[in-house]
Amino acid sequence: MTLNALLFDVDGTLADTERDGHRPAFNQAFADAGLDWHWDAALYGKLLAVTGGKERMKHYIDQYRPDYVKTADFDEMVVNLHKAKTRHYSALAANGGIPMRPGVKRLLTEARAAGLRLAIATTTTPENVTVLLEHSLGPGTQDWFEVIAAGDIVPAKKPAPDIYFYAMEKMGVSAAECLAFEDSENGIRASLGAGLKTLVTVNDYTLDHDFSGTAVVLSDLGEPDAPCRRLAGADLGRPFVDVAYLRALHAA
Ligand code: XBP
Ligand code: MG
């Protein structure tokens, strides 16, 4: 089957959003609310085991703050904290503070020109995706993606495959005609669980994750003047990821 569609994760894959956006936004929301919760970079790396911001906050309290006494309105408080966090994240993204990773804009531009269909499958809040695309990829670039599948649209977040199934169903494509792009173990459990051949670009938080079963693991997508490094998987003998690379990987 020929390659027809590319499905992208957002956080850690299109941009280093966890480091540059989500963690600082959580901390700002906690400080605004007068809470003594603070997530340093090392703790945040552990908290990333749980996807979804609301789910992550509850996990933090359950696993790391036995001293915290939950009030009857705890769930509502988490929802409100998450709204505040989303506002902070959006402000960071709207100021252009969260750049796209190497090769992302080049590859998306080339893929569009080649007629490949594009979609997003992420656990983050939809608003975070649109603000990030608008300010870091460029004005109007949300329209490059046929489907933006995000957040609570499916109840079971990654590592469940549901968000990928949702995106493929909306597009009317089968897994065999797609490639997925991911950066983390939870992400590949979702994409592989949906039957998708997966290309991984790692980041500082996910370097030591288990990427068994994926087609290739790279440092990043690379640029003509800044080749990517291959960490595992298929050696296609090309210095950066372009559409020819993707077609070869899909066919391999
Ligand atoms: C991303 C997530 C998200 C973000 C925070 O995982 O787990 O929860 O960290 O976003 P993936 P929200 O890259 O696998 O999709 O606070 O909006 O949930
Ligand atoms: Mg990710």
Side-chain angles (χ1 to χ4, degrees):
M1 186 157 301
T2 52
L3 178 62
N4 187 10
L6 309 179
L7 311 181
F8 289 88
D9 170 50
V10 174
D11 296 304
T13 300
L14 294 186
D16 268 323
T17 54
E18 299 295 1
R19 186 192 65 193
D20 299 337
H22 293 298
R23 188 180 72 88
F26 279 114
N27 284 330
Q28 283 171 24
F30 301 154
D32 292 350
L35 292 164
D36 69 344
W37 307 359
H38 182 84
W39 294 353
D40 64 27
L43 171 61
Y44 195 67
K46 294 184 194 142
L47 296 174
L48 284 173
V50 172
T51 58
K54 296 185 285 292
E55 294 83 350
R56 188 169 299 142
M57 283 188 261
K58 290 180 177 171
H59 169 73
Y60 166 70
I61 292 304
D62 290 341
Q63 297 299 315
Y64 294 88
R65 295 300 298 264
D67 59 306
Y68 184 79
V69 181
K70 287 185 199 171
T71 50
D73 63 350
F74 179 69
D75 283 356
E76 192 187 327
M77 177 183 135
V78 166
V79 167
N80 288 328
L81 279 171
H82 193 250
K83 282 185 185 149
K85 177 260 168 179
T86 300
R87 284 194 294 274
H88 284 299
Y89 179 96
S90 295
L92 277 164
N95 287 329
I98 316 178
M100 290 286 125
R101 294 190 63 192
V104 167
K105 186 164 192 177
R106 173 188 53 73
L107 181 65
L108 289 171
T109 305
E110 195 192 329
R112 267 167 56 77
L116 291 173
R117 298 167 66 186
L118 306 177
I120 277 174
T122 174
T123 66
T124 202
T125 306
E127 174 184 344
N128 294 345
V129 182
T130 46
V131 177
L132 179 74
L133 294 176
E134 191 66 19
H135 294 276
S136 297
L137 190 57
T141 54
Q142 309 170 34
D143 300 341
W144 291 8
F145 300 90
E146 238 173 87
V147 177
I148 297 183
D152 299 325
I153 199 162
V154 293
K157 293 185 177 170
K158 298 177 189 177
D162 303 34
I163 196 77
Y164 279 107
F165 284 133
Y166 177 92
M168 287 190 282
E169 194 193 316
K170 285 270 164 198
M171 295 174 94
V173 294
S174 67
E177 54 190 316
C178 301
L179 276 178
F181 293 73
E182 276 288 355
D183 71 302
S184 71
E185 196 169 331
N186 277 327
I188 68 147
R189 284 170 65 193
S191 61
L192 297 179
L196 289 155
K197 195 169 254 200
T198 304
L199 180 158
V200 175
T201 51
V202 297
N203 57 62
D204 288 348
Y205 278 123
T206 66
L207 261 177
D208 58 0
H209 285 195
D210 180 0
F211 293 116
S212 309
T214 60
V216 69
V217 182
L218 303 169
S219 55
D220 52 75
L221 296 174
E223 293 283 20
D225 59 353
C228 55
R229 278 175 301 114
R230 186 178 58 90
L231 308 174
D235 184 1
L236 300 177
R238 303 176 78 92
F240 60 93
V241 177
D242 57 7
V243 169
Y245 179 109
L246 297 180
R247 291 199 196 284
L249 187 72
H250 182 253

